[in-house]
Amino acid sequence: MVEVQQAVNAELDRVGSVLDELGARFAAAGHALHLVGGPVRDAMLGHIKNDLDLTTSAMPEQTEKLLKGWAEATWDMGRAFGTIGCRKGEWDIEITTYRAETYDPDSRKPEVDFGDNLAGDLGRRDFTVNAMAVSIPDREFVDLFGGINDLAARVLRTPGRPEDSFSDDPLRMMRAARFAAQLGFDVAPEVVEAMTAMASRIEIISAERVRDELVKLICSPYPRKGLTLLVETGLAALVLPELPRLAQERDEHERHKDVYEHTLTVLEQTIEQEDRLGGPDFIARFAALMHDVGKPKTRKFGDDNTVTFHHHDVVGAKITRKRMRALRFSNDEIDAVGKLVELHLRFHGYGTGEWTDSAVRRYVRDAGDQLLRLHILTRADCTTRNTRKANRLRRIYDELEARIAELAEKEEMESVRPDLDGAQIMAILGIKPGPVVGEAYKFLLELRLDEGPQSYEAAEAALRAWWEQRSEG
């Protein structure tokens, strides 16, 4: 314990000037204040973040008064849950009154009751590694539930019976999977057993809260670990049913690859390329996770012992968009992931790599602002163990990216549009606004994609020829 205290103190020295000042203010007013939860865990792991969670005996209105004149900014969006937030320098701090909260069996929202002691507050937290505290400002370490031992063993365990914990807040089952993915920890057998038995309880939790945990899990360092736990406990069948359906696609006759394992490998290979995106990227990762969800609905076996998944890209995009709407994702996120799922096979539709300029332009046009993510997904989707085939596909895609860069430099392909705008079309053809202008615009766009940039004169001549042919028809 002494070594742990020293390690925590060394990390807390970095924030000592802030926490010590704050602790002194609360102590002078007769209130206890403790750093608690994730920040204590992270301090023990040696990487405390800039978001600090504290718990106190003070009521929210008392906390607010104590922060006045000290914090640079305060907010009270969490007041109903006993939380007052503030900013001091580079630190975002949330201070929450000791509390005990439970869920009504049929309610999506917790009933919040304020507690009167630290032990009760810690005992109601999700996992022992998040139920440790450090008193401020004297820095006394508090571990009532063996969190330090579980942290050393890299295991997630609940302070009390997991059944009670998950009954109080079913979202903790999702958090178990998220922390497994985030920390790389194992989940204690009794916790897994409770998750499996109580999985259906997750249905009382709002889609938004489930979505937020799912995003955190997928953007964690070890998402496979968390996703596997969701599938094995039955939680995935309720929050992301497309994933376990892929696991059901395992083919006992080995006529095609294991879709579920392939999907997790594609996710991991996407993560390996994320330096191109500047770090963890939910859109790219979720597209990798969902790219083959259309396969269960499109699988067909042929008489020659072959299996096909025709149009699984289009079907998968529809399934993906429906699931993301159910999870309350934004329209922009839905459009981005849906587009990537729909386009993930496009590269393979161009044969052996003899890409024309027209094909390259269309590829870029269809990908739009998701082009870089499409590059990553397409490369990640190659999981063949055939080294020669993998190297050939990699080489062809290298060539494609080089072609895109070359044409982009010459033609500004990011903003491909016809060489004549709507006003020019109407002036040349002597027509008024209407559907015909859209037809002409589409014709000129196809011409631009097929043949590249046109001069005004060439575009005008092509438009007049199209108009004459249309009029004759």
Side-chain angles (χ1 to χ4, degrees), residues 106-182:
D106 301 315
S107 174
R108 290 175 180 263
K109 297 181 179 180
E111 298 175 355
V112 177
D113 294 318
F114 296 135
D116 57 8
N117 63 82
L118 177 65
D121 183 273
L122 295 179
R124 303 202 68 83
R125 291 182 178 265
D126 51 9
F127 304 105
T128 60
V129 297
N130 295 330
M132 299 178 286
V134 176
S135 61
I136 303 297
D138 59 356
R139 300 189 186 182
E140 180 183 348
F141 186 71
V142 182
D143 179 18
L144 305 177
F145 302 99
I148 185 172
N149 293 328
D150 288 338
L151 195 68
R154 300 177 63 82
V155 64
L156 293 171
R157 198 183 312 277
T158 54
R161 295 175 65 248
E163 293 82 2
D164 295 336
S165 180
F166 298 153
S167 179
D168 284 348
D169 185 354
L171 191 66
R172 290 172 178 168
M173 295 185 288
M174 291 288 296
R175 286 168 64 84
R178 190 250 290 188
F179 281 121
Q182 182 177 313

Coordinates of all heavy atoms in Angstrom, one line a residue, residues 106-182:
D106 N -38.7 -0.6 -14.3 CA -39.3 -0.3 -15.6 C -38.9 1.1 -16.1 O -39.5 1.6 -17.1 CB -40.8 -0.4 -15.5 CG -41.3 -1.8 -15.1 OD1 -40.8 -2.8 -15.7 OD2 -42.1 -1.9 -14.2
S107 N -37.9 1.7 -15.5 CA -37.6 3.1 -15.9 C -36.3 3.2 -16.6 O -35.3 2.4 -16.3 CB -37.5 4.0 -14.6 OG -37.1 5.3 -14.9
R108 N -36.1 4.1 -17.5 CA -34.9 4.4 -18.2 C -34.0 5.3 -17.4 O -32.8 5.5 -17.7 CB -35.1 5.0 -19.6 CG -35.7 4.0 -20.6 CD -36.1 4.7 -21.9 NE -36.6 3.8 -22.8 CZ -36.0 3.2 -23.8 NH1 -34.7 3.4 -23.9 NH2 -36.6 2.4 -24.7
K109 N -34.6 6.0 -16.4 CA -33.8 7.1 -15.7 C -33.6 6.6 -14.3 O -34.5 6.1 -13.6 CB -34.6 8.4 -15.7 CG -34.8 8.9 -17.2 CD -35.5 10.2 -17.2 CE -35.7 10.8 -18.6 NZ -36.4 12.1 -18.6
P110 N -32.4 6.9 -13.7 CA -32.1 6.6 -12.4 C -32.8 7.5 -11.4 O -33.1 8.6 -11.7 CB -30.6 6.8 -12.3 CG -30.3 7.8 -13.3 CD -31.2 7.6 -14.4
E111 N -33.1 6.9 -10.2 CA -33.6 7.8 -9.1 C -32.4 8.1 -8.2 O -31.8 7.2 -7.7 CB -34.7 7.0 -8.3 CG -35.9 6.6 -9.2 CD -36.8 5.7 -8.4 OE1 -36.5 5.3 -7.2 OE2 -37.9 5.4 -8.9
V112 N -32.1 9.4 -8.1 CA -30.9 9.8 -7.4 C -31.3 10.2 -6.0 O -32.1 11.0 -5.7 CB -30.3 11.0 -8.2 CG1 -29.1 11.5 -7.4 CG2 -29.9 10.6 -9.6
D113 N -30.5 9.6 -5.0 CA -30.6 10.0 -3.6 C -29.2 10.4 -3.2 O -28.2 9.7 -3.5 CB -31.1 8.8 -2.8 CG -32.5 8.4 -3.1 OD1 -33.4 9.4 -3.2 OD2 -32.8 7.2 -3.2
F114 N -29.1 11.5 -2.5 CA -27.8 11.9 -2.0 C -27.4 11.1 -0.7 O -28.3 10.8 0.1 CB -27.7 13.4 -1.7 CG -27.9 14.2 -2.9 CD1 -28.8 15.3 -2.9 CD2 -27.2 13.9 -4.1 CE1 -29.0 16.1 -4.0 CE2 -27.4 14.7 -5.2 CZ -28.3 15.8 -5.2
G115 N -26.2 10.7 -0.7 CA -25.7 9.9 0.5 C -25.0 10.8 1.5 O -25.0 12.0 1.3
D116 N -24.6 10.2 2.6 CA -23.9 11.0 3.7 C -22.5 10.5 4.0 O -22.0 11.0 5.0 CB -24.8 11.1 4.9 CG -25.2 9.7 5.4 OD1 -24.6 8.7 5.0 OD2 -26.0 9.6 6.3
N117 N -22.0 9.6 3.3 CA -20.6 9.1 3.6 C -19.9 8.5 2.4 O -20.6 8.1 1.4 CB -20.7 8.1 4.7 CG -21.4 6.8 4.3 OD1 -20.9 5.9 3.6 ND2 -22.7 6.7 4.7
L118 N -18.6 8.5 2.4 CA -17.8 8.1 1.3 C -18.0 6.6 1.0 O -18.1 6.2 -0.1 CB -16.4 8.4 1.5 CG -15.4 8.0 0.5 CD1 -15.6 8.7 -0.8 CD2 -13.9 8.2 0.9
A119 N -18.1 5.8 2.1 CA -18.2 4.4 1.9 C -19.4 4.0 1.1 O -19.3 3.1 0.2 CB -18.2 3.7 3.2
G120 N -20.5 4.6 1.4 CA -21.7 4.3 0.6 C -21.6 4.7 -0.8 O -22.1 4.0 -1.7
D121 N -21.0 5.9 -1.1 CA -20.8 6.3 -2.4 C -19.9 5.4 -3.2 O -20.2 5.0 -4.4 CB -20.2 7.7 -2.4 CG -20.0 8.3 -3.8 OD1 -19.0 8.0 -4.4 OD2 -20.9 9.0 -4.2
L122 N -18.8 5.0 -2.6 CA -17.9 4.1 -3.3 C -18.5 2.7 -3.6 O -18.3 2.1 -4.6 CB -16.6 3.9 -2.5 CG -15.7 5.2 -2.4 CD1 -14.5 4.8 -1.5 CD2 -15.3 5.7 -3.7
G123 N -19.3 2.2 -2.6 CA -19.9 0.9 -2.7 C -20.9 0.8 -3.9 O -21.3 -0.3 -4.3
R124 N -21.4 2.0 -4.4 CA -22.4 1.9 -5.4 C -21.7 2.2 -6.8 O -22.5 2.3 -7.8 CB -23.5 3.0 -5.2 CG -24.2 2.8 -3.8 CD -25.5 3.4 -3.8 NE -26.5 2.8 -4.7 CZ -27.2 1.6 -4.4 NH1 -27.0 1.1 -3.2 NH2 -28.0 1.1 -5.2
R125 N -20.4 2.2 -6.8 CA -19.8 2.5 -8.1 C -19.7 1.2 -8.9 O -19.9 0.1 -8.4 CB -18.4 3.1 -7.9 CG -18.6 4.5 -7.4 CD -17.3 5.3 -7.2 NE -17.7 6.6 -6.7 CZ -17.8 7.7 -7.5 NH1 -17.6 7.6 -8.8 NH2 -18.1 8.9 -7.0
D126 N -19.3 1.3 -10.2 CA -19.5 0.2 -11.1 C -18.5 -1.0 -10.9 O -18.9 -2.1 -10.7 CB -19.4 0.6 -12.6 CG -18.2 1.5 -12.9 OD1 -17.3 1.6 -12.0 OD2 -18.2 2.1 -14.0
F127 N -17.2 -0.6 -10.7 CA -16.2 -1.7 -10.6 C -15.2 -1.3 -9.5 O -15.0 -0.1 -9.2 CB -15.4 -1.9 -11.9 CG -16.4 -2.3 -13.0 CD1 -16.7 -1.4 -14.0 CD2 -17.0 -3.5 -13.0 CE1 -17.6 -1.7 -15.0 CE2 -17.9 -3.8 -14.0 CZ -18.3 -2.9 -15.0
T128 N -14.6 -2.2 -8.9 CA -13.7 -2.0 -7.8 C -12.5 -1.1 -8.2 O -12.0 -0.2 -7.4 CB -13.1 -3.3 -7.2 OG1 -12.3 -4.0 -8.3 CG2 -14.2 -4.2 -6.7
V129 N -12.0 -1.2 -9.4 CA -10.9 -0.3 -9.9 C -11.4 1.1 -10.1 O -10.5 2.0 -10.2 CB -10.3 -0.9 -11.2 CG1 -9.7 -2.2 -11.0 CG2 -11.3 -0.9 -12.4
N130 N -12.7 1.3 -10.1 CA -13.2 2.7 -10.1 C -13.8 3.1 -8.8 O -14.5 4.2 -8.7 CB -14.3 2.8 -11.2 CG -13.7 2.6 -12.6 OD1 -12.6 2.9 -12.9 ND2 -14.6 2.0 -13.5
A131 N -13.6 2.3 -7.8 CA -14.2 2.6 -6.5 C -13.1 2.9 -5.4 O -13.3 2.7 -4.2 CB -15.0 1.4 -6.0
M132 N -12.0 3.5 -5.9 CA -11.0 3.9 -5.0 C -11.0 5.4 -4.9 O -11.5 6.1 -5.8 CB -9.6 3.4 -5.5 CG -9.5 1.9 -5.5 SD -7.9 1.3 -6.1 CE -8.0 1.7 -7.9
A133 N -10.5 6.0 -3.8 CA -10.5 7.4 -3.6 C -9.3 7.9 -3.0 O -8.5 7.2 -2.3 CB -11.7 7.8 -2.8
V134 N -9.0 9.2 -3.1 CA -7.9 9.9 -2.4 C -8.4 11.2 -1.8 O -9.0 12.0 -2.5 CB -6.7 10.2 -3.4 CG1 -5.6 11.0 -2.7 CG2 -6.2 8.9 -4.1
S135 N -8.3 11.3 -0.5 CA -8.8 12.5 0.1 C -8.0 13.7 -0.3 O -6.7 13.6 -0.5 CB -8.8 12.3 1.7 OG -7.5 12.1 2.1
I136 N -8.6 14.8 -0.4 CA -8.0 16.1 -0.8 C -8.2 17.1 0.3 O -9.4 17.3 0.7 CB -8.5 16.6 -2.1 CG1 -8.4 15.5 -3.2 CG2 -7.9 17.9 -2.5 CD1 -7.0 15.1 -3.6
P137 N -7.2 17.8 0.9 CA -5.8 17.9 0.3 C -4.8 16.9 1.0 O -3.7 16.9 0.6 CB -5.5 19.3 0.7 CG -6.2 19.6 1.9 CD -7.5 18.8 1.9
D138 N -5.2 16.1 2.0 CA -4.2 15.3 2.7 C -3.8 14.1 2.0 O -2.8 13.4 2.4 CB -4.7 15.0 4.1 CG -6.0 14.2 4.2 OD1 -6.5 14.0 3.1 OD2 -6.4 13.8 5.2
R139 N -4.5 13.7 0.9 CA -4.1 12.6 0.0 C -4.0 11.2 0.7 O -3.1 10.4 0.5 CB -2.7 12.9 -0.6 CG -2.7 14.1 -1.5 CD -1.4 14.2 -2.3 NE -1.3 15.5 -3.0 CZ -0.3 15.8 -3.8 NH1 0.7 15.0 -3.9 NH2 -0.3 17.0 -4.4
E140 N -5.0 11.0 1.5 CA -5.1 9.6 2.1 C -5.8 8.7 1.1 O -6.9 9.0 0.6 CB -5.9 9.7 3.4 CG -6.1 8.4 4.1 CD -7.0 8.4 5.3 OE1 -7.2 9.6 5.8 OE2 -7.4 7.4 5.8
F141 N -5.2 7.6 0.9 CA -5.7 6.6 -0.1 C -6.8 5.7 0.6 O -6.6 5.2 1.7 CB -4.5 5.7 -0.6 CG -4.9 4.8 -1.7 CD1 -5.2 5.2 -2.9 CD2 -5.0 3.4 -1.4 CE1 -5.5 4.4 -4.0 CE2 -5.4 2.5 -2.4 CZ -5.6 3.0 -3.7
V142 N -7.9 5.6 -0.1 CA -9.1 4.8 0.4 C -9.4 3.7 -0.6 O -9.8 4.0 -1.8 CB -10.3 5.7 0.6 CG1 -11.5 4.9 1.2 CG2 -10.0 6.9 1.5
D143 N -9.3 2.5 -0.2 CA -9.6 1.3 -1.0 C -10.4 0.3 -0.2 O -9.8 -0.5 0.5 CB -8.4 0.7 -1.6 CG -8.7 -0.5 -2.5 OD1 -9.8 -0.7 -2.9 OD2 -7.7 -1.3 -2.7
L144 N -11.7 0.4 -0.2 CA -12.6 -0.4 0.6 C -13.0 -1.8 0.0 O -13.5 -2.6 0.7 CB -13.8 0.4 1.0 CG -13.6 1.7 1.6 CD1 -15.0 2.4 1.9 CD2 -12.9 1.6 3.0
F145 N -12.7 -1.9 -1.3 CA -13.3 -3.1 -2.0 C -12.2 -3.9 -2.8 O -12.5 -4.6 -3.7 CB -14.4 -2.6 -2.9 CG -15.5 -1.9 -2.2 CD1 -15.6 -0.5 -2.2 CD2 -16.5 -2.7 -1.5 CE1 -16.6 0.1 -1.5 CE2 -17.5 -2.0 -0.8 CZ -17.5 -0.6 -0.8
G146 N -10.9 -3.7 -2.5 CA -9.9 -4.4 -3.1 C -9.6 -4.0 -4.5 O -9.1 -4.8 -5.4
G147 N -9.8 -2.7 -4.8 CA -9.6 -2.2 -6.2 C -8.1 -2.3 -6.6 O -7.8 -2.6 -7.7
I148 N -7.2 -2.1 -5.6 CA -5.8 -2.1 -6.0 C -5.4 -3.5 -6.4 O -4.6 -3.7 -7.3 CB -4.9 -1.6 -4.8 CG1 -3.5 -1.6 -5.2 CG2 -5.1 -2.5 -3.6 CD1 -2.6 -0.9 -4.2
N149 N -5.9 -4.5 -5.7 CA -5.6 -5.9 -6.1 C -6.1 -6.3 -7.5 O -5.5 -6.9 -8.3 CB -6.1 -6.9 -5.0 CG -5.4 -6.8 -3.7 OD1 -4.2 -6.4 -3.6 ND2 -6.2 -7.0 -2.6
D150 N -7.3 -5.8 -7.7 CA -7.9 -6.1 -9.1 C -7.2 -5.3 -10.2 O -7.1 -5.8 -11.3 CB -9.4 -5.7 -9.0 CG -10.3 -6.7 -8.2 OD1 -9.8 -7.8 -8.0 OD2 -11.4 -6.3 -7.8
L151 N -6.7 -4.1 -9.8 CA -6.0 -3.4 -10.8 C -4.7 -4.1 -11.1 O -4.3 -4.2 -12.3 CB -5.7 -2.0 -10.3 CG -5.2 -0.9 -11.3 CD1 -6.3 -0.6 -12.3 CD2 -4.8 0.4 -10.6
A152 N -4.0 -4.6 -10.1 CA -2.8 -5.3 -10.3 C -3.0 -6.6 -11.1 O -2.2 -7.0 -11.9 CB -2.1 -5.7 -9.0
A153 N -4.2 -7.2 -10.9 CA -4.5 -8.5 -11.6 C -5.1 -8.2 -12.9 O -5.4 -9.2 -13.7 CB -5.4 -9.3 -10.7
R154 N -5.4 -6.9 -13.2 CA -6.0 -6.5 -14.5 C -7.4 -7.2 -14.7 O -7.6 -7.9 -15.7 CB -5.1 -6.8 -15.7 CG -3.8 -6.0 -15.6 CD -2.8 -6.3 -16.7 NE -3.3 -5.9 -18.0 CZ -3.3 -4.7 -18.5 NH1 -2.7 -3.7 -17.7 NH2 -3.8 -4.4 -19.7
V155 N -8.2 -7.1 -13.7 CA -9.5 -7.8 -13.7 C -10.6 -6.8 -13.3 O -10.4 -5.9 -12.4 CB -9.5 -9.0 -12.8 CG1 -9.4 -8.7 -11.4 CG2 -10.8 -9.8 -13.0
L156 N -11.8 -6.9 -13.9 CA -12.9 -6.0 -13.6 C -13.9 -6.8 -12.7 O -14.3 -7.9 -13.1 CB -13.6 -5.6 -14.9 CG -12.9 -4.6 -15.8 CD1 -13.6 -4.4 -17.1 CD2 -12.6 -3.3 -15.1
R157 N -14.1 -6.3 -11.5 CA -15.0 -6.9 -10.5 C -15.9 -5.8 -9.9 O -15.4 -4.7 -9.8 CB -14.1 -7.6 -9.5 CG -14.9 -8.7 -8.6 CD -13.9 -9.2 -7.6 NE -12.6 -9.6 -8.1 CZ -12.4 -10.8 -8.7 NH1 -13.3 -11.7 -8.8 NH2 -11.2 -11.1 -9.1
T158 N -17.1 -6.2 -9.5 CA -17.9 -5.2 -8.9 C -17.7 -5.1 -7.4 O -17.3 -6.1 -6.8 CB -19.4 -5.5 -9.2 OG1 -19.7 -6.8 -8.7 CG2 -19.7 -5.4 -10.7
P159 N -17.9 -3.9 -6.8 CA -17.7 -3.8 -5.3 C -18.6 -4.8 -4.5 O -18.2 -5.3 -3.5 CB -18.1 -2.4 -5.0 CG -17.9 -1.6 -6.3 CD -18.3 -2.6 -7.4
G160 N -19.8 -5.0 -5.0 CA -20.7 -5.9 -4.3 C -21.1 -7.0 -5.3 O -20.4 -7.3 -6.2
R161 N -22.3 -7.6 -5.1 CA -22.8 -8.6 -6.0 C -23.0 -8.0 -7.4 O -23.7 -6.9 -7.5 CB -24.1 -9.2 -5.5 CG -24.0 -10.0 -4.2 CD -25.3 -10.5 -3.7 NE -25.9 -11.5 -4.6 CZ -27.0 -11.3 -5.4 NH1 -27.6 -10.1 -5.3 NH2 -27.5 -12.2 -6.1
P162 N -22.5 -8.6 -8.5 CA -22.7 -8.0 -9.8 C -24.2 -7.9 -10.1 O -24.6 -6.9 -10.8 CB -22.0 -8.9 -10.7 CG -21.8 -10.1 -10.0 CD -21.7 -9.8 -8.5
E163 N -25.0 -8.8 -9.7 CA -26.5 -8.8 -9.9 C -27.1 -7.5 -9.4 O -28.0 -6.9 -10.0 CB -27.1 -10.0 -9.4 CG -26.8 -11.4 -10.0 CD -25.5 -11.9 -9.5 OE1 -24.9 -11.3 -8.6 OE2 -25.0 -13.0 -10.0
D164 N -26.7 -7.1 -8.2 CA -27.2 -5.9 -7.6 C -26.7 -4.7 -8.4 O -27.5 -3.7 -8.6 CB -26.8 -5.8 -6.1 CG -27.3 -6.9 -5.2 OD1 -28.4 -7.5 -5.6 OD2 -26.7 -7.2 -4.2
S165 N -25.5 -4.7 -8.7 CA -24.9 -3.6 -9.5 C -25.6 -3.4 -10.8 O -26.0 -2.3 -11.2 CB -23.4 -3.8 -9.7 OG -22.9 -2.7 -10.4
F166 N -25.8 -4.5 -11.5 CA -26.5 -4.4 -12.9 C -27.9 -4.1 -12.8 O -28.5 -3.5 -13.7 CB -26.2 -5.6 -13.7 CG -24.7 -5.8 -13.9 CD1 -24.2 -7.1 -14.1 CD2 -23.8 -4.8 -14.0 CE1 -22.9 -7.4 -14.4 CE2 -22.5 -5.0 -14.2 CZ -22.0 -6.3 -14.4
S167 N -28.5 -4.5 -11.7 CA -30.0 -4.2 -11.4 C -30.1 -2.7 -11.2 O -31.0 -2.0 -11.7 CB -30.5 -5.0 -10.3 OG -31.9 -4.7 -10.1
D168 N -29.2 -2.1 -10.4 CA -29.2 -0.7 -10.1 C -29.0 0.1 -11.4 O -29.7 1.1 -11.6 CB -28.1 -0.3 -9.1 CG -28.5 -0.7 -7.7 OD1 -29.7 -1.1 -7.5 OD2 -27.6 -0.7 -6.8
D169 N -28.1 -0.3 -12.2 CA -27.8 0.5 -13.4 C -27.3 -0.5 -14.5 O -26.1 -0.9 -14.6 CB -26.7 1.5 -13.2 CG -26.4 2.4 -14.4 OD1 -27.0 2.1 -15.5 OD2 -25.7 3.4 -14.4
P170 N -28.2 -0.9 -15.4 CA -27.9 -1.9 -16.4 C -26.8 -1.5 -17.4 O -26.2 -2.3 -18.0 CB -29.3 -2.2 -17.1 CG -30.3 -1.8 -16.1 CD -29.7 -0.6 -15.4
L171 N -26.6 -0.2 -17.5 CA -25.6 0.3 -18.4 C -24.2 -0.2 -18.0 O -23.3 -0.2 -18.8 CB -25.6 1.8 -18.5 CG -24.8 2.4 -19.7 CD1 -25.3 2.0 -21.0 CD2 -24.7 3.9 -19.6
R172 N -24.1 -0.5 -16.7 CA -22.8 -1.0 -16.2 C -22.3 -2.3 -17.0 O -21.1 -2.6 -17.0 CB -22.9 -1.3 -14.7 CG -22.9 0.0 -13.9 CD -23.2 -0.2 -12.5 NE -23.3 1.0 -11.7 CZ -23.7 1.1 -10.5 NH1 -24.1 0.1 -9.8 NH2 -23.7 2.3 -9.9
M173 N -23.3 -3.0 -17.5 CA -22.9 -4.2 -18.3 C -22.1 -3.8 -19.6 O -21.2 -4.4 -20.0 CB -24.1 -5.0 -18.6 CG -24.8 -5.7 -17.4 SD -26.2 -6.8 -17.8 CE -27.4 -5.6 -18.4
M174 N -22.6 -2.7 -20.2 CA -21.9 -2.2 -21.4 C -20.6 -1.6 -20.9 O -19.6 -1.7 -21.7 CB -22.8 -1.1 -22.0 CG -24.0 -1.5 -22.7 SD -23.7 -2.4 -24.2 CE -22.9 -1.1 -25.2
R175 N -20.6 -1.0 -19.8 CA -19.3 -0.4 -19.3 C -18.3 -1.4 -19.0 O -17.1 -1.2 -19.2 CB -19.6 0.5 -18.0 CG -20.3 1.8 -18.3 CD -20.8 2.5 -17.1 NE -19.7 2.9 -16.2 CZ -19.0 4.0 -16.3 NH1 -19.3 4.8 -17.3 NH2 -18.1 4.3 -15.4
A176 N -18.7 -2.6 -18.6 CA -17.8 -3.7 -18.4 C -17.0 -4.0 -19.7 O -15.8 -4.2 -19.7 CB -18.5 -4.9 -17.8
A177 N -17.8 -4.1 -20.8 CA -17.2 -4.4 -22.1 C -16.3 -3.2 -22.5 O -15.3 -3.4 -23.1 CB -18.3 -4.7 -23.1
R178 N -16.8 -2.0 -22.2 CA -16.0 -0.8 -22.6 C -14.7 -0.8 -21.9 O -13.6 -0.5 -22.5 CB -16.8 0.4 -22.4 CG -16.2 1.7 -23.0 CD -15.6 2.6 -22.0 NE -16.7 3.3 -21.3 CZ -16.4 4.3 -20.4 NH1 -15.2 4.7 -20.2 NH2 -17.4 4.8 -19.7
F179 N -14.7 -1.0 -20.6 CA -13.4 -1.0 -19.8 C -12.5 -2.1 -20.2 O -11.3 -2.0 -20.2 CB -13.7 -0.9 -18.3 CG -14.1 0.4 -17.8 CD1 -15.3 0.6 -17.1 CD2 -13.3 1.5 -18.0 CE1 -15.7 1.8 -16.7 CE2 -13.7 2.7 -17.5 CZ -14.9 2.9 -16.8
A180 N -13.1 -3.3 -20.5 CA -12.3 -4.4 -21.0 C -11.5 -3.9 -22.3 O -10.3 -4.2 -22.5 CB -13.1 -5.6 -21.3
A181 N -12.2 -3.2 -23.2 CA -11.6 -2.7 -24.4 C -10.7 -1.6 -24.2 O -9.7 -1.5 -24.8 CB -12.8 -2.3 -25.4
Q182 N -11.0 -0.8 -23.2 CA -10.2 0.4 -23.0 C -8.9 0.1 -22.2 O -7.8 0.6 -22.5 CB -11.0 1.4 -22.1 CG -10.4 2.7 -21.8 CD -11.3 3.7 -21.1 OE1 -12.4 3.8 -21.5 NE2 -10.8 4.2 -20.0

